[in-house]
Amino acid sequence: MYYWVSANSSDFAGTPPQRRSGHSAVNIGKSKVVVFGGLVDKKFLSDIAVYDIEAKQWFQPECTGSGSDEHVGPSPRAFHVAVSIDCHMFIFGGRFGSQRLGDFWVLDTDIWQWSELSGFGDLPSPRDFAAASAVGNRKIVMYGGWDGKKWLSDVYVLDTISLEWMELSVSGTLPQPRCGHTATMVEKRLLVYGGRGGGGPIMGDLWALKGLIEEENEAPGWTQLKLPGQAPSPRCGHTVTSGGHYLLMFGGHGTGGWLSRYDIYYNDCIILDRVSAQWKRLSIGSEPPPARAYHSMSVVGPRYLLIGGFDGKTTYGDPWWLVPQEDPIANRLTAAPPRNIAESKEFAFNDDFQPQLKESQTEKFPFSELQRRLQISVSSSSLEIVNEFEDKELLEVASRLAGENVSTNSLAILTIRKHWRNSEPNMVKLKELGPLLRDYQRLIYRHYLERNASVQKPGFGEHVLHQFYHVKNATQLRMDDIPKLLAEYKQLPV
């Protein structure tokens, strides 16, 4: 079990970074986290904020070095790439206003000195929303991005000693060009997930690139990976952070719900288990931070530190911790019962990541056995169930569908429920999704949680998964969720 906990002044000294998105945050060994740049209220930033892990203190170093217009270091920017090797942070590209940048910088964090680097060889074009990762202790690999006119699919390798760039020639099947993806070096392979691709679709594919390690003598090549488990939804602007045998994905944004023109922002945690090679959901025992994209997530010992991000309207400046349940910071929340109860095998991860709940803990929950049988992983008290006669949106949709021939709310509700039971997924209108989801949750609660656990209705054996019971609102639904939601709804007794 892990907990999200909002950071406060008792967690560290100094001033954490101001709110921002599109910034970078890199770990310098296990000693510090360096945050650079970003965007807030249409203003591009170039400041540095450093978290000293051992001293538990934020500070702003006085940097020296080269620059232009009396400005030390890189010009303000966001959506750049940043990679650390030893005590150095390398910065490439990004965006300033509508301009894509192609300059290349290094910060020596031992003496806090910036240097602009003049690379040679196959120089990459200016771009933003690319992704990069260190290859060993000397090289950097960068993939994709957006140059202002087209999505990119090129792969560049930089030797940080010789400063030579080389465009990697990759044969065979290639991923679609993309930007806003992640690229994470895992042993000998670069793993790329998601992003926004040609024509604008947001993708949920996972690719592995081999041929980056000279000693292996492998020809460079891409392989698309299709792993079992609970795969993340398509997204871009997310983060992937390495933690031991796991890669932790958080946040990002994807295509909105059914026929929606708007993007939906995520605050879920998905794990890629490198040992078993499958996707898993991280069991969270508290409310997560607001959904967001273009944030940063850094490893600080056994903890993860979330900084900044953007949700389409708000730029965040609230730092959050993601900590294991034995962490002292989690004690702020453990007075309240966990929000998610991971009891089924589907949710049971390796003990290194999620210790199983003890029997004494599960006894506190009167619906725990029923939850296990229905594979519902939330307490019934965590979801507000509104009576249908108090659901104004449901009554409005029902009355509009029923027309003037129906004079009472009861008949109107019967009409809308009959309509949904006879509908195909493409017949469900956007305005109906919220009322449909709440009525689905209402019927589950009424017939399976409010009554005695031993009362079972036909068609609902222990293998049935009410997978949308815990969804907070319709904006969290994806297009391919609608047929599943409607199919489950049709099986519920009225």
Side-chain angles (χ1 to χ4, degrees), residues 39-90:
L39 172 68
V40 58
D41 298 333
K42 298 183 179 180
K43 178 184 178 182
F44 288 82
L45 307 173
S46 61
D47 59 331
I48 288 277
V50 181
Y51 181 61
D52 185 315
I53 295 175
E54 185 174 348
K56 297 182 179 180
Q57 178 176 7
W58 285 99
F59 66 94
Q60 290 73 42
E62 290 289 337
C63 295
T64 61
S66 59
S68 58
D69 300 326
E70 300 181 355
H71 183 86
V72 174
S75 59
R77 68 192 62 206
F79 313 118
H80 50 281
V81 298
V83 176
S84 65
I85 292 183
D86 293 328
C87 65
H88 297 98
M89 177 176 72
F90 293 88

Side-chain angles (χ1 to χ4, degrees), residues 433-451:
L433 278 185
L436 172 62
L437 176 64
R438 289 193 298 276
D439 203 46
Y440 161 89
Q441 294 165 335
R442 183 181 300 117
L443 295 176
I444 291 174
Y445 177 78
R446 183 170 298 161
H447 292 282
Y448 298 106
L449 299 182
E450 202 171 35
R451 298 182 180 185

Side-chain angles (χ1 to χ4, degrees), residues 200-467:
I202 293 177
M203 296 177 285
D205 49 350
L206 177 68
W207 291 79
L209 175 64
K210 66 176 183 178
L212 296 170
I213 309 296
E214 288 184 7
E215 293 78 11
E216 298 297 318
N217 293 319
E218 289 182 307
W222 287 103
T223 302
Q224 184 172 3
L225 304 179
K226 296 184 178 180
L227 304 183
Q230 296 179 294
S233 54
R235 64 189 68 198
C236 64
H238 53 286
T239 52
V240 171
T241 311
S242 182
H245 294 302
Y246 301 90
L247 298 179
L248 174 66
M249 180 183 297
F250 173 75
H253 67 104
T255 304
W258 186 243
L259 301 181
S260 172
R261 294 177 298 169
Y262 304 100
D263 280 357
I264 179 172
Y265 287 77
Y266 297 107
N267 57 0
D268 51 350
C269 289
I270 302 102
I271 294 166
L272 197 164
D273 185 331
R274 292 163 50 187
V275 176
S276 61
Q278 61 179 309
W279 295 106
K280 299 175 180 178
R281 300 279 164 164
L282 180 61
S283 181
I284 302 294
S286 61
E287 287 297 322
R292 63 192 72 194
Y294 308 110
H295 50 281
S296 64
M297 193 85 148
S298 306
V299 172
V300 179
R303 304 169 178 170
Y304 293 87
L305 178 61
L306 169 66
I307 296 173
F310 180 70
D311 69 356
K313 295 180 181 179
T314 303
T315 300
Y316 291 101
D318 51 337
W320 284 76
W321 298 109
L322 178 63
V323 300
Q325 64 180 13
E326 63 271 15
D327 193 295
I329 286 181
N331 292 335
R332 298 179 201 165
L333 302 176
T334 51
R339 186 172 59 91
N340 290 343
I341 310 166
E343 293 187 83
S344 68
K345 292 182 179 179
E346 184 175 3
F347 292 89
F349 303 162
N350 185 295
D351 287 345
D352 291 342
F353 223 90
Q354 179 211 309
Q356 292 295 301
L357 292 175
K358 296 180 180 179
E359 186 176 349
S360 60
Q361 290 178 283
T362 59
E363 288 175 354
K364 298 177 183 179
F365 299 92
F367 300 119
S368 60
E369 174 60 17
L370 185 61
Q371 287 169 332
R372 184 192 67 78
R373 294 173 66 183
L374 296 181
Q375 299 183 45
I376 297 174
S377 61
V378 294
S379 167
S380 62
S381 62
S382 68
L383 188 71
E384 183 180 357
I385 303 296
V386 180
N387 186 283
E388 51 263 61
F389 297 106
E390 297 175 0
D391 190 333
K392 294 181 180 179
E393 193 177 4
L394 174 68
L395 293 175
E396 180 183 344
V397 171
S399 298
R400 188 184 304 117
L401 178 69
E404 298 179 356
N405 297 328
V406 175
S407 58
T408 67
N409 287 339
S410 297
L411 290 175
I413 291 171
L414 288 176
T415 302
I416 190 67
R417 285 174 171 166
K418 183 178 179 181
H419 163 72
W420 284 331
R421 291 176 186 280
N422 294 327
S423 291
E424 295 299 323
N426 59 3
M427 296 170 60
V428 179
K429 296 179 180 179
L430 182 61
K431 289 185 178 180
E432 297 177 18
L433 278 185
L436 172 62
L437 176 64
R438 289 193 298 276
D439 203 46
Y440 161 89
Q441 294 165 335
R442 183 181 300 117
L443 295 176
I444 291 174
Y445 177 78
R446 183 170 298 161
H447 292 282
Y448 298 106
L449 299 182
E450 202 171 35
R451 298 182 180 185
N452 187 283
S454 64
V455 178
Q456 282 272 319
K457 295 294 182 180
F460 283 86
E462 59 185 38
H463 300 294
V464 173
L465 172 65
H466 292 147
Q467 57 184 313

